[in-house]
Amino acid sequence: MGSRHGSTLKLANLFSNASKREPSPLLAVSLTKRITELGRHGQVDRAHHLFVQMPQRTQVSWNAMLSILIDSGRLASALELFDEMPKKNSTSYTSMITGLSRAGFVSRAWQLFDTIPLSVQNVFSWTSMITCYAYNSEPLQALIFFARCYAEFFELKILPNSHTFSVLLKSCVSIQSLHAAMQVQTLSVKVLEEDSESSTFVQNSLIDVHAKLGNLVDAEKVFDRMKFKDLGSWNTIMDAYTHHLLVNKALSVFNSMTSKDTLSWNIIMAGLSNNHRAEEALKLFICLLRSEDDSMPNASTYTIILTATTTMTMLEFGKQVHASTVKIGLYNSNVFVCNSLLSMYSNCGIVELTERVFKEMHHKDIVSWNSVIQGLGQNGCSKRALEIAEQALSANKFNHNTFTAILTSCSHGGLVDEGLKYFNSMSEIYGIEQGLDQYVCMVDMLGRAGKVEIALEMLCKMPFRANSVAWETLLSACVIHGNVNVGRIAAKELEILKPGNARSYYALASVYQKAGKAEESKRVLDLIWNKELRKNSGFSWVVEA
């Protein structure tokens, strides 16, 4: 408290002295550093107040304040400040395009880019506009924009850099075009020096492109031919192996690395967790905590480990991870970590802690709302789940998955009337068309309530064809309620979609057994062991009563 008060007094003295003489350039530098420091610590209002009081503002001062407003999400204020700037350089334009990009205002970003004088255009402003397209779900437009501008910028001696090529290669992945990626690679070889650090950065991106477009062999070739490999190279090839489910190869790379960073650990732990080897991921996490290198767990690490903990339903371990997030300051402040905690506690059936985590979150995204609704509904708290659902709908924090969570809660709670109301309100009130997931939820809800015929009618009237999950859901309801007629229909549809599926046979046999038709049940069970049936999946096996 004392040091902060002292800093305020020093600044006050500086302002006082400045008013008695010509503003000093050193004063502007000092105040700009202070503004930047305040912005870095989230004290945006104090930074802006200090900026307004500055007796003399440099271009660096204006750009610093602009960057602070953009980074804090105050786009309207940033635009006002941008308009007030007496002079703008490339940094000013690039920062503003970045801010518009983050907010999703692509057209406005392009309009601003188009006004940039050629004298201040550079590779950074160019790349920021390409990035704006790429990260706002317009990867093809990013590539088209680059191609259109290349000749003009080449004449201005403005050449793409490693970051430009990296964004372009990621755009190639998004549009699933290996041909476009190879063209970008060819150009990068011409523009960048082969042995330079920039070339290595692009080659790392190329490994990632090949791997994600299904061409692991060429990804390995790029890696093997690299004259210089940095840590990013090793991380990228390891990630390529996990992407192709070659976890043992990824582990081999990980163990051979002489140096590792947090990303290295995250890649291998996520790869193990995603390939049903969660226990190994947890052991590696413990090794990370005990490691003597500079690698430290970050938010992504805890998200990965909490997911693995959820898979293993290891509640006590999860609680220890939770305590660790509190200790290092990630709890409450990081929405991804908190969402993982919500999933972990709800999957372990701990409703009280699920609600507590949700209540204590400083920021909640749509995933947070969906997770708590789904978690409460699946754990027998359907009424409470719907109360929170109403809050989410009122706060405009909803999407398709929100209604899946709501309908699941209604299904588990036997709230048929409420479920029908929410299902109908999707398109009528909230502007979201019902999808297959929501229809399956309705079939499950109606089936649990014994309304099997109505569930069948809903399946038949869907605007798209039902999948195997929908028919399996209906068949399960027929097993519970012994509905032979609907059970036969569901079983026949399943035989078309999944020929020779033994689970369907057993389910139909159970339907007959439940309905007191022991002979028919036996005939279905006999068919399971019939060798001719196994050889010929087109055999009609639905027994007539």
Side-chain angles (χ1 to χ4, degrees):
M1 184 72 180
S3 61
R4 184 182 296 175
H5 182 64
S7 299
T8 305
L9 287 175
K10 288 178 183 177
L11 289 172
N13 290 335
L14 284 171
F15 282 129
S16 176
N17 294 332
S19 64
K20 300 174 184 176
R21 61 178 186 273
E22 285 295 315
S24 164
L26 290 177
L27 174 62
V29 171
S30 175
L31 292 176
T32 300
K33 285 183 178 178
R34 179 60 181 155
I35 288 169
T36 302
E37 183 183 342
L38 289 168
R40 191 180 297 119
H41 289 87
Q43 300 180 48
V44 182
D45 291 332
R46 288 188 64 193
H48 187 257
H49 179 70
L50 184 58
F51 173 79
V52 171
Q53 288 186 322
M54 285 181 71
Q56 182 184 41
R57 302 186 191 106
T58 64
Q59 184 70 62
V60 176
S61 310
W62 283 95
N63 287 342
M65 192 64 237
L66 182 67
S67 180
I68 289 168
L69 290 172
I70 289 169
D71 290 341
S72 64
R74 302 188 183 187
L75 185 62
S77 299
L79 285 166
E80 287 181 13
L81 186 75
F82 183 79
D83 291 338
E84 292 171 8
M85 292 177 73
K87 185 179 178 182
K88 303 176 182 71
N89 62 9
S90 177
T91 302
S92 317
Y93 285 104
T94 301
S95 296
M96 200 64 250
I97 290 171
T98 300
L100 290 166
S101 173
R102 288 175 185 171
F105 296 118
V106 181
S107 297
R108 192 160 183 181
W110 156 246
Q111 290 170 1
L112 178 60
F113 178 85
D114 202 35
T115 65
I116 302 177
L118 291 179
S119 59
V120 297
Q121 277 280 20
N122 64 15
V123 65
F124 302 108
S125 56
W126 187 22
T127 304
S128 69
M129 193 61 227
I130 295 169
T131 304
C132 178
Y133 283 120
Y135 287 91
N136 281 282
S137 303
E138 296 187 37
L140 180 59
Q141 189 59 41
L143 293 164
I144 293 171
F145 173 76
F146 172 79
R148 284 177 178 170
C149 294
Y150 184 78
E152 180 183 358
F153 277 72
F154 185 82
E155 289 182 6
L156 295 170
K157 297 183 179 180
I158 298 174
L159 297 177
N161 61 17
S162 59
H163 183 63
T164 315
F165 285 118
S166 177
V167 175
L168 292 171
L169 286 169
K170 288 177 181 176
S171 297
C172 294
V173 173
S174 297
I175 66 171
Q176 293 289 291
S177 176
L178 187 59
H179 177 69
M182 297 307 296
Q183 288 183 307
V184 173
Q185 180 199 14
T186 302
L187 182 61
S188 71
V189 171
K190 293 179 180 178
V191 172
L192 303 174
E193 294 181 17
E194 188 177 350
D195 295 326
S196 70
E197 188 175 321
S198 296
S199 177
T200 301
F201 184 78
V202 173
Q203 286 175 306
N204 292 346
S205 297
L206 194 61
I207 294 169
D208 186 58
V209 169
H210 280 302
K212 287 180 177 172
L213 292 180
N215 197 350
L216 183 60
V217 173
D218 281 347
E220 291 177 312
K221 286 179 182 177
V222 174
F223 179 78
D224 292 337
R225 291 172 182 171
M226 290 177 70
K227 292 183 178 180
F228 174 73
K229 299 180 179 74
D230 61 9
L231 182 56
S233 312
W234 292 95
N235 284 342
T236 306
I237 192 66
M238 181 168 56
D239 187 54
Y241 286 134
T242 61
H243 183 76
H244 284 266
L245 309 181
L246 299 172
V247 186
N248 287 333
K249 274 198 168 187
L251 269 172
S252 178
V253 172
F254 179 79
N255 291 328
S256 68
M257 292 168 66
T258 54
S259 64
K260 303 177 180 72
D261 61 4
T262 302
L263 180 59
S264 313
W265 291 87
N266 288 352
I267 289 170
I268 194 63
M269 286 188 291
L272 288 166
S273 180
N274 293 336
N275 284 277
H276 313 293
R277 295 166 67 171
E279 188 174 353
E280 292 176 68
L282 297 180
K283 288 179 180 177
L284 270 180
F285 175 66
I286 294 171
C287 291
L288 170 60
L289 295 177
R290 295 173 178 172
S291 66
E292 296 180 357
D293 59 22
D294 295 331
S295 303
M296 294 292 293
N298 59 13
S300 295
T301 313
Y302 283 99
T303 300
I304 292 164
I305 292 307
L306 285 167
T307 301
T309 306
T310 302
T311 303
M312 302 280 290
T313 58
M314 296 176 65
L315 179 59
E316 291 307 315
F317 191 93
K319 285 182 177 179
Q320 291 178 38
V321 176
H322 184 175
S324 180
T325 65
V326 174
K327 185 177 180 180
I328 65 174
L330 280 176
Y331 181 62
N332 290 346
S333 63
N334 189 282
V335 68
F336 302 107
V337 171
C338 288
N339 287 344
S340 298
L341 285 168
L342 287 174
S343 295
M344 189 266 294
Y345 283 126
S346 63
N347 275 278
C348 290
I350 312 300
V351 175
E352 296 82 4
L353 289 177
T354 303
E355 281 211 75
R356 183 188 298 176
V357 170
F358 181 74
K359 184 179 180 180
E360 293 176 352
M361 289 175 69
H362 292 164
H363 171 69
K364 303 176 179 71
D365 62 9
I366 292 177
V367 175
S368 314
W369 290 92
N370 293 350
S371 296
V372 74
I373 295 166
Q374 184 95 10
L376 291 173
Q378 287 182 336
N379 284 289
C381 301
S382 298
K383 291 286 188 182
R384 177 60 181 148
L386 295 187
E387 288 176 9
I388 294 177
E390 284 297 328
Q391 296 173 27
L393 295 173
S394 298
N396 202 33
K397 296 283 187 179
F398 62 86
N399 58 15
H400 268 95
N401 293 331
T402 311
F403 286 94
T404 302
I406 290 171
L407 295 174
T408 300
S409 299
C410 292
S411 179
H412 282 264
L415 307 175
V416 177
D417 291 339
E418 290 86 342
L420 286 167
K421 183 194 76 172
Y422 281 111
F423 181 78
N424 293 327
S425 71
M426 285 182 64
S427 56
E428 294 175 2
I429 299 176
Y430 300 104
I432 296 180
E433 291 299 320
Q434 295 91 340
L436 184 58
D437 287 343
Q438 286 80 43
Y439 274 99
V440 171
C441 286
M442 290 300 294
V443 170
D444 182 56
M445 182 186 72
L446 292 166
R448 285 171 182 258
K451 301 178 183 294
V452 180
E453 288 82 3
I454 298 175
L456 173 62
E457 184 182 356
M458 178 170 279
L459 273 188
C460 294
K461 289 183 177 179
M462 283 197 312
F464 29 73
R465 188 180 177 185
N467 63 3
S468 60
V469 175
W471 289 112
E472 284 171 354
T473 303
L474 182 61
L475 185 54
S476 295
C478 293
V479 172
I480 295 170
H481 299 286
N483 192 311
V484 174
N485 294 331
V486 177
R488 284 201 202 98
I489 296 170
K492 197 166 187 175
E493 292 292 336
L494 271 173
E495 175 63 13
I496 296 170
L497 293 170
K498 299 173 73 174
N501 183 2
R503 290 178 61 186
S504 303
Y505 291 64
Y506 282 114
L508 185 63
S510 298
V511 172
Y512 284 122
Q513 190 69 39
K514 184 85 173 180
K517 297 179 181 289
E519 186 62 31
E520 287 83 350
S521 178
K522 182 178 182 301
R523 287 168 63 186
V524 173
L525 291 172
D526 287 342
L527 284 173
I528 297 174
W529 302 103
N530 187 310
K531 292 182 180 180
E532 290 303 316
L533 173 62
R534 291 183 178 182
K535 290 178 183 176
N536 185 1
S537 60
F539 187 90
S540 179
W541 56 271
V542 179
V543 179
E544 297 295 336

